[in-house]
């Protein structure tokens, strides 16, 4: 699994151990055989990418969470949404998010 995804972020489930997001460690690829982002089945090309809106731990696509928070993560968003429409307004996890503490913008910062 990508090390950066395991770091606890503001959108993480709030359960962290040693600075790691517990939910990201629990997440599996959709076949359930491997950890999220380490898929080796026929869906590996899609499963191992980090684009678009993500679940809170950022290891799975929004609406496709596989950790212990799946029931709440996969529920339809009620109220205001972030600009992509897939997450609550205050916990955007897509490329349109205001900030992601695990990313460094090398394109606009000197």
């Amino acid at each position: 699994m990508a090390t950066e995804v395991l770091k606890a972020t503001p959108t993480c489930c709030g359960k962290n151990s040693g600075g790691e997001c517990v939910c990201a460690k629990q997440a599996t690829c959709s076949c359930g055989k491997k950890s999220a982002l380490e898929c080796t089945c026929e869906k590996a090309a899609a499963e191992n990418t980090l684009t678009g809106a993500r679940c809170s731990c950022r290891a799975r696509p929004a609406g496709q969470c596989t950790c212990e928070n799946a029931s709440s993560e996969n529920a339809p968003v009620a109220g205001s949404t972030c600009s992509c429409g897939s997450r609550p307004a205050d916990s955007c996890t897509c490329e349109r998010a205001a900030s992601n503490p695990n990313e460094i913008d090398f394109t606009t910062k000197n």
Side-chain angles (χ1 to χ4, degrees):
M1 183 178 310
T3 304
E4 294 299 308
V5 172
L6 288 179
K7 288 184 180 177
T9 66
T11 62
C12 180
C13 61
K15 301 172 194 157
N16 65 63
S17 174
E20 290 185 330
C21 180
V22 172
C23 298
K25 291 180 101 173
Q26 292 175 349
T28 62
C29 68
S30 60
C31 70
K33 295 178 182 176
K34 295 282 187 174
S35 295
L37 303 173
E38 293 181 353
C39 185
T40 57
C41 72
E42 65 278 355
K43 297 179 182 180
E47 293 274 335
N48 296 334
T49 60
L50 282 172
T51 59
R54 311 299 297 172
C55 65
S56 292
C57 71
R58 300 179 191 258
R60 299 275 308 145
Q64 297 177 32
C65 181
T66 58
C67 78
E68 67 184 44
N69 293 325
S71 60
S72 60
E73 284 285 325
N74 297 339
V77 179
S80 299
T81 64
C82 72
S83 58
C84 69
S86 298
R87 299 275 306 159
D90 62 347
S91 64
C92 190
T93 57
C94 71
E95 291 85 354
R96 298 176 189 170
S99 68
N100 176 346
N102 291 336
E103 294 180 3
I104 299 170
D105 182 357
F106 293 107
T107 62
T108 60
K109 293 182 180 178
N110 293 331

